[in-house]
Amino acid sequence: MVNIPALEQMSQILHILFIFLPFLWALGTLPPPDALFLWAMEQVLEFGLGGSSMSTHLRLLMMFIVSAGTAVTSYFIPNTLGVVLFMTGLGFLLSLNLSEMGFVFKHSVTRHRVGTKSKALPSGSKKQFTWKECLFYIVVLVLALLETSLLHHFAGFSQISKNSPQAIVGYVLMILLTLLWLLREIQSVYIFGIFRNPFYPKDVQAVTLFLEKQTRLLKIGVVRRILLNLVSPFAMIAFLSLDNSLQGLHSVSVSIGFTRAFRMVWQNTENALLETVIVSAGHLLIPSTDIWWNRSLDTGIRLLLVGIMRDRLIQFISKLQFAVTVLLASWTEKKRRKSTTTLCILNIVFSPFVLVFIVFSTLLSSPLLPLFTLPLFLVGFPRPSQSWPGVVGTAACVCADTVYYYQMVPNLTAALQSAMAAGSLGLLLPGSHYLGRFQDRLIWIMILEHGYTYCCINIKGLELQETSCHTAEARKVDEVFEGAFEQEEYTRVCSISEHFGSVLTPCTVLPVKLYSDARSVLSGIIDSHDNLKEFKGDLVKVLVWILVRYCSRRSSMQENVHKIENKGKASLIILPDLNTSPQTQSPEDTGSLNSETLDDWSDDNVFDDETTIKTGKEEKDQLKVLQDINVPIPGSVVSQRVDDHSTGTVPENSLYKAVILGYPAIDKGKHEDMVFIPLKEFSCPHSHLLSLPEEWTSNCLPNSKMREMSSLFPEDWYQFVLRQLECFHSEENVPNVLEEIAKDRVLKDFYVHAVLTCYFSLFGVDNMVPSPGHILRVYSGVLPWSLSLDWLTEKPELFQLALKAFRYTLKLMIDKASLGPIEDFKELAGCLEEYERDWHIGLVSDEKWKEAVLQEKPYLFSLGYDPNMGVYTGRVLTLQELLIQVGKLNAEAVRGQWANLSWELLYATNDDEERYSIQAHPLLLRNLTVQAADPPLGYPIYSSKPLHIHLY
């Protein structure tokens, strides 16, 4: 080392540096080895090899190895034409989404080998992607290679002058850059983020009106896509192919510089166009060869250096804007103005040192870390653009509201595809962040990767139940978007943004098919005595409609399985022995019906409006639900033989046997001799098509009570529902068959028995007008005690049908109070058909609610109670195409706050839930930014896996 001065100086520098390493580690400036390794690979890939940040660490490693191998290989190719063709071809191929294309190809091969239709691919138009896009890519590659080879072989090489071919191409590139910039800015609501775009629609509240006004912008977007994806790359390839630097073989600078240049043409066309124009303009303005820039550097290295300077300059401006925003946020916060005033003054006095920190973090491409989000700035350790070490989309704080983001994301991705392709979201760079807003939903979008005609993003959903901090910042987001998108007609043409300097800059609105959430107070409807009185009569009708429909569908399902041997012979049903152990419903269906729910029916509940009788252990025994369940398969009937009390399956020829209505019940647990069971025939040979399952016809109520209440059964409605059925396709004369079935008294008696038993189970035997509290409890699946409760809960299918009828009746009551009374049976049947087809009426906490959201049912309804206000509420979700407002966030503000979050929790171990750095601040959107961090430091309720969007 004594003999080598450079090593001696390096030793002295390292001695000093090592002393400060513990201090740098404590401040969070010293990177962990994995972060340093990934950051170094990302920087070399992006600026040295012309690639892009990748969506996963594995993709980053693989792409780095392949890209580095391309640069090394180009050094050893002995022919200049071969070098140019190799760089052009590999640059184009590596800029494509090769992993996605490989996945599609593998899927297609597998499906072809199996010879059957396998599962659909994750995203929509994969078949088109396989053929049309692959053909497009092959044509573009062939044309690029042809253009490169012809220009390189036949064109003369000379220094750039005002009349040289390369200079002429440079002029063309300048025109293209100007056009693309103008076409991109026109697509967004603000130009430069400052001036309102006069071509953008002023008021975008109505979807249809906005789409009509946006038609012109979409046409402009198509022109921009053609210029960006086809014209610009070929113009830049012409510029590079005509460069005389390519004549030098086996040059490291040529191999690195031009490998990057030919890759950037496709990987990031807009940035490559800007860099090429700057280099070309520099040649034309300063043609002298005496300058070091022109003498010692070839075009490829110049483009590389210009690319690094461009990136660092953008970072410096963003970091400087973030630092100023932090200062303003600290100064404008009245609660802490006294404590932060000193810090603000110190920042102003020592502003040169603050600038040094900003420059240093810019050079390292590391986040500017505001300590505790105060104006105390440090340099965070270098890290990849994703900021977090885990795999994207593998962690989220899942809750009941997550399902709304699951439903929304596919439609949002399609809308983002159109907006990104048109340029509405500005320049698409890996590490960019966007914020979307709709009603109570906040969508966080991050760009992970970008290439030729594709982009890879991650979408996160923030919590819907807004805290005070969340609400304050969400209100600020709404103000920013309202100021941009809800303009009055008399507003000036090019008005200046009121929120210029905020971390959020509005971009555009996206039409997305999603659920709008409307909540209403049902006071005056659910507590109206007249409405509740009508409710009871309507419930019987709805029960009849649901049971008849259920049995008709069940018979249609059985049609191909069970064959009637003698159609002319009367069908019979046998009464099952009531000694059998009851069939019970599954745990998920009886979760709200176990013995513990009896407490909800006591006098101490929140709805203190009706009294119930509680008999302790006896009552609990009556409501006891067994664990084992044998739900009958649709189309099969499980019966008990009367001779030996053993359980068995009824033979096919006795499948449709009838029981005499009102047969006396036998006490459970007694083993007396069976009484002879008489049989009764259906008067119509086709009645078996609508017969109830055998276990639903057993008796549990006194005959006297049943006869007394049988007048409640609406026979005319029953006849009408039967005549409206359209399910007997195998029968020749359907109207006559239905007429005969409607006249069958035995079948009607069965329906009377089943409907009234369900009615008694839901209301109790006393024919009293229900209270609103009773309505809510039964709607939630908590039934009052009655003689028929065990009978109903032992039949899961029937219980669910009765609960469904109760919920339909409640919705019918609300609709009648809001829209007017029902005129006739036809209108009533139409309402019920609409509920069945377009509505899901249930509880928000049910799994079926989530299934309905994912299946995109047009409407969802739920009943609730607000204990704070003391009112009953209705919640309606409506699926429709609505507008999501999207704005671009300052990427350095996000990285800086995430860096502070990491430092504060992992280095300073400050895990106070009320710490200052996560409190709401409208200027910084501090609380929302913390939420959007990856778990465990953040808590988004939804995080998608990397989503690949095709920009064509």
Side-chain angles (χ1 to χ4, degrees):
M1 288 180 59
V2 176
N3 298 328
I4 305 174
L7 289 178
E8 189 174 356
Q9 291 176 2
M10 184 64 68
S11 175
Q12 293 171 357
I13 294 171
L14 290 176
H15 273 79
I16 299 172
L17 180 63
F18 287 167
I19 295 173
F20 288 97
L21 285 181
F23 179 71
L24 293 174
W25 178 86
L27 291 179
T29 306
L30 195 65
D34 56 342
L36 180 63
F37 178 69
L38 293 171
W39 167 82
M41 276 201 305
E42 197 174 83
Q43 293 294 306
V44 173
L45 177 62
E46 187 171 352
F47 300 106
L49 301 171
S52 163
S53 303
M54 306 305 287
S55 57
T56 63
H57 300 327
L58 180 61
R59 283 170 65 91
L60 176 63
L61 179 62
M62 297 299 295
M63 185 58 72
F64 176 80
I65 293 173
V66 174
S67 302
T70 302
V72 172
T73 305
S74 66
Y75 177 82
F76 295 100
I77 296 177
N79 184 281
T80 56
L81 181 60
V83 170
V84 173
L85 291 175
F86 179 78
M87 290 178 177
T88 304
L90 265 294
F92 175 77
L93 291 175
L94 293 178
S95 67
L96 299 177
N97 193 3
L98 294 175
S99 61
E100 191 77 359
M101 293 176 67
F103 173 74
V104 172
F105 178 76
K106 181 180 177 182
H107 184 274
S108 301
V109 170
T110 305
R111 183 173 57 182
H112 184 265
R113 285 180 178 177
V114 173
T116 57
K117 292 183 179 179
S118 56
K119 287 185 178 180
L121 290 166
S123 49
S125 56
K126 292 297 183 179
K127 194 169 183 181
Q128 295 179 359
F129 173 81
T130 306
W131 298 108
K132 294 182 180 179
E133 239 188 287
C134 282
L135 182 61
F136 168 75
Y137 291 145
I138 292 171
V139 171
V140 171
L141 177 60
V142 171
L143 291 177
L145 294 175
L146 188 62
E147 179 195 14
T148 304
S149 60
L150 291 176
L151 289 176
H152 183 79
H153 184 72
F154 294 107
F157 296 99
S158 62
Q159 292 292 335
I160 293 183
S161 62
K162 293 183 179 180
N163 297 322
S164 65
Q166 194 174 14
I168 295 172
V169 176
Y171 292 130
V172 173
L173 292 176
M174 292 176 193
I175 296 172
L176 282 173
L177 178 65
T178 307
L179 283 174
L180 285 173
W181 175 82
L182 287 173
L183 296 178
R184 187 185 71 220
E185 292 297 324
I186 285 175
Q187 297 291 329
S188 183
V189 67
Y190 283 122
I191 297 173
F192 289 127
I194 305 173
F195 305 103
R196 189 154 201 303
N197 181 5
F199 300 100
Y200 200 84
K202 285 188 176 181
D203 193 353
V204 295
Q205 292 181 338
V207 181
T208 54
L209 187 61
F210 169 75
L211 293 177
E212 289 176 5
K213 292 182 178 180
Q214 200 192 26
T215 306
R216 290 176 297 174
L217 294 179
L218 293 176
K219 293 178 181 177
I220 294 173
V222 172
V223 176
R224 180 183 174 274
R225 283 204 299 274
I226 294 172
L227 293 177
L228 182 65
N229 294 331
L230 293 175
V231 180
S232 297
F234 285 101
M236 283 187 283
I237 286 177
F239 180 87
L240 295 173
S241 302
L242 293 171
D243 195 86
N244 62 348
S245 302
L246 289 172
Q247 297 300 313
L249 286 174
H250 309 301
S251 170
V252 175
S253 62
V254 170
S255 297
I256 294 175
F258 279 91
T259 298
R260 176 192 176 277
F262 279 105
R263 172 83 175 273
M264 279 287 291
V265 164
W266 308 101
Q267 188 82 47
N268 199 329
T269 307
E270 290 186 83
N271 282 340
L273 186 60
L274 175 62
E275 296 164 12
T276 309
V277 167
I278 292 174
V279 170
S280 177
H283 274 294
L284 295 173
L285 294 175
I286 310 174
S288 175
T289 56
D290 297 332
I291 300 175
W292 169 80
W293 178 266
N294 292 334
R295 185 183 67 251
S296 303
L297 302 177
D298 57 60
T299 303
I301 297 299
R302 292 188 204 118
L303 289 170
L304 188 150
L305 294 176
V306 169
I308 295 175
M309 288 188 287
R310 172 197 51 78
D311 178 78
R312 295 304 189 258
L313 179 62
I314 293 173
Q315 278 197 40
F316 177 78
I317 294 172
S318 298
K319 284 180 167 66
L320 187 61
Q321 183 183 359
F322 172 51
V324 172
T325 305
V326 172
L327 280 170
L328 290 175
S330 301
W331 176 259
T332 55
E333 195 170 10
K334 295 180 180 179
K335 293 181 181 179
R336 298 181 178 270
R337 181 172 293 178
K338 292 183 179 180
S339 59
T340 57
T341 301
T342 306
L343 290 175
C344 293
I345 294 172
L346 288 175
N347 273 275
I348 295 172
V349 173
F350 294 100
S351 55
F353 294 97
V354 175
L355 285 174
V356 168
F357 277 102
I358 294 175
V359 169
F360 189 55
S361 66
T362 300
L363 292 175
L364 289 177
S365 189
S366 60
L368 181 67
L369 193 155
L371 206 59
F372 305 108
T373 64
L374 291 169
L376 287 172
F377 298 105
L378 298 175
V379 179
F381 65 80
R383 67 196 77 194
S385 60
Q386 291 181 23
S387 297
W388 305 111
V391 179
V392 173
T394 56
C397 302
V398 179
C399 66
D401 295 328
T402 304
V403 67
Y404 302 114
Y405 288 109
Y406 269 109
Q407 179 275 328
M408 179 175 56
V409 162
N411 301 319
L412 176 61
T413 305
L416 283 171
Q417 176 181 358
S418 301
M420 288 178 171
S424 302
L425 300 184
L427 196 61
L428 302 176
L429 296 174
S432 299
H433 298 265
Y434 297 87
L435 185 66
R437 176 71 168 165
F438 171 73
Q439 288 188 350
D440 56 353
R441 269 156 274 188
L442 282 161
I443 305 105
W444 194 282
I445 304 165
M446 180 180 179
I447 296 182
L448 304 172
E449 182 181 335
H450 184 266
Y452 184 62
T453 67
Y454 86 94
C455 184
C456 186
I457 64 171
N458 166 244
I459 298 176
K460 292 177 181 175
L462 306 189
E463 62 181 357
L464 271 61
Q465 296 179 354
E466 299 179 350
T467 60
S468 57
C469 293
H470 185 112
T471 304
E473 294 186 353
R475 192 181 304 117
K476 178 64 176 180
V477 172
D478 291 336
E479 288 177 9
V480 173
F481 284 136
E482 285 171 8
F485 298 117
E486 298 176 13
Q487 294 283 326
E488 301 293 339
E489 290 297 329
Y490 56 81
T491 307
R492 287 186 303 167
V493 176
C494 288
S495 58
I496 298 176
S497 171
E498 298 176 0
H499 303 280
F500 173 68
S502 172
V503 295
L504 177 65
T505 303
C507 292
T508 188
V509 292
L510 305 176
V512 179
K513 192 177 182 182
L514 44 69
Y515 282 102
S516 62
D517 195 346
R519 301 167 192 259
S520 58
V521 176
L522 299 180
S523 299
I525 297 178
I526 196 173
D527 52 1
S528 168
H529 184 271
D530 294 337
N531 291 341
L532 293 173
K533 190 174 181 181
E534 288 185 16
F535 181 91
K536 298 192 70 174
D538 290 339
L539 177 60
V540 180
K541 294 179 182 177
V542 178
L543 278 168
V544 170
W545 186 83
I546 284 182
L547 290 181
V548 170
R549 280 178 60 92
Y550 172 82
C551 292
S552 65
R553 290 178 178 176
R554 196 173 70 99
S555 65
S556 299
M557 292 166 55
Q558 294 172 353
E559 210 166 297
N560 296 329
V561 180
H562 300 287
K563 303 294 183 182
I564 307 301
E565 294 181 359
N566 300 315
K567 288 190 176 182
K569 188 176 178 180
S571 301
L572 302 174
I573 299 178
I574 191 168
L575 176 69
D577 180 16
L578 300 181
N579 284 355
T580 59
S581 299
Q583 293 176 332
T584 61
Q585 66 186 127
S586 61
E588 64 233 16
D589 293 331
T590 60
S592 59
L593 297 176
N594 55 29
S595 59
E596 295 176 0
T597 58
L598 286 174
D599 296 336
D600 296 335
W601 287 90
S602 68
D603 294 336
D604 300 328
N605 57 40
V606 66
F607 317 114
D608 193 12
D609 51 10
E610 63 179 67
T611 58
T612 54
I613 299 174
K614 192 171 181 180
T615 59
K617 187 175 184 300
E618 293 180 4
E619 184 178 356
K620 292 186 178 182
D621 289 340
Q622 289 173 344
L623 196 58
K624 177 176 64 177
V625 178
L626 302 178
Q627 297 299 321
D628 297 327
I629 175 172
N630 295 315
V631 180
I633 300 172
S636 67
V637 177
V638 179
S639 175
Q640 184 160 14
R641 290 194 293 252
V642 298
D643 51 350
D644 57 0
H645 306 291
S646 61
T647 302
T649 303
V650 176
E652 290 185 7
N653 57 2
S654 62
L655 185 62
Y656 306 109
K657 292 187 177 179
V659 65
I660 296 177
L661 182 65
Y663 187 82
I666 301 174
D667 292 338
K668 298 180 181 180
K670 294 182 180 180
H671 299 282
E672 300 174 357
D673 293 335
M674 287 297 298
V675 182
F676 173 74
I677 299 174
L679 303 177
K680 195 166 185 179
E681 298 180 354
F682 283 136
S683 61
C684 172
H686 304 286
S687 294
H688 65 269
L689 296 172
L690 292 177
S691 63
L692 292 163
E694 186 178 349
E695 62 271 18
W696 296 5
T697 59
S698 59
N699 196 12
C700 64
L701 293 174
N703 291 343
S704 59
K705 191 67 179 178
M706 190 67 71
R707 283 193 298 269
E708 176 188 341
M709 303 300 290
S710 60
S711 60
L712 294 175
F713 187 82
E715 187 168 352
D716 51 350
W717 167 251
Y718 167 76
Q719 303 281 347
F720 175 81
V721 172
L722 286 181
R723 292 185 175 95
Q724 296 297 312
L725 293 176
E726 299 177 355
C727 58
F728 305 130
H729 302 294
S730 61
E731 303 294 334
E732 294 179 357
N733 197 350
V734 175
N736 292 339
V737 169
L738 292 175
E739 193 70 32
E740 293 177 13
I741 293 176
K743 295 177 181 178
D744 193 325
R745 303 298 300 177
V746 176
L747 181 65
K748 190 203 80 169
D749 289 343
F750 280 120
Y751 275 99
V752 170
H753 172 267
V755 168
L756 293 183
T757 308
C758 292
Y759 178 84
F760 294 147
S761 301
L762 297 172
F763 279 130
V765 179
D766 295 330
N767 191 22
M768 303 292 291
V769 176
S771 66
H774 180 103
I775 297 291
L776 177 62
R777 283 189 289 266
V778 176
Y779 183 94
S780 303
V782 182
L783 273 62
W785 183 89
S786 66
L787 293 173
S788 55
L789 178 61
D790 283 345
W791 179 88
L792 182 61
T793 55
E794 289 165 6
K795 301 164 181 60
E797 284 184 277
L798 183 59
F799 173 77
Q800 291 300 324
L801 291 174
L803 192 59
K804 179 180 178 181
F806 190 92
R807 292 171 175 176
Y808 279 16
T809 310
L810 174 69
K811 184 67 176 67
L812 182 65
M813 181 183 75
I814 295 172
D815 288 348
K816 286 166 65 177
S818 305
L819 306 175
I822 300 294
E823 296 292 337
D824 50 22
F825 285 164
K826 188 175 182 180
E827 186 178 352
L828 176 58
C831 287
L832 297 178
E833 287 284 354
E834 182 186 351
Y835 296 160
E836 185 75 16
R837 181 182 65 252
D838 296 335
W839 286 79
H840 173 80
I841 302 172
L843 295 175
V844 177
S845 57
D846 286 348
E847 285 298 321
K848 290 183 179 179
W849 180 278
K850 297 179 183 178
E851 293 174 6
V853 171
L854 294 177
Q855 293 169 3
E856 296 193 339
K857 273 275 187 180
Y859 306 98
L860 290 89
F861 173 83
S862 177
L863 178 68
Y865 180 79
D866 187 349
N868 298 322
M869 301 289 292
V871 294
Y872 296 90
T873 59
R875 183 182 182 186
V876 177
L877 299 183
T878 306
L879 184 66
Q880 53 188 324
E881 193 171 40
L882 297 165
L883 297 176
I884 293 181
Q885 300 162 329
V886 179
K888 188 172 185 177
L889 294 161
N890 185 332
E892 292 303 325
V894 175
R895 291 185 70 202
Q897 293 182 75
W898 282 358
N900 171 72
L901 177 66
S902 175
W903 180 88
E904 195 171 350
L905 292 181
L906 301 180
Y907 288 83
T909 62
N910 178 21
D911 59 351
D912 182 9
E913 293 183 356
E914 299 299 326
R915 61 187 184 275
Y916 171 75
S917 61
I918 64 171
Q919 298 301 312
H921 199 289
L923 275 179
L924 292 172
L925 301 181
R926 191 162 49 196
N927 187 262
L928 296 180
T929 305
V930 169
Q931 281 188 54
D934 283 4
L937 304 186
Y939 45 99
I941 65 172
Y942 171 81
S943 182
S944 71
K945 292 186 177 180
L947 302 172
H948 297 272
I949 297 178
H950 301 288
L951 306 178
Y952 50 80

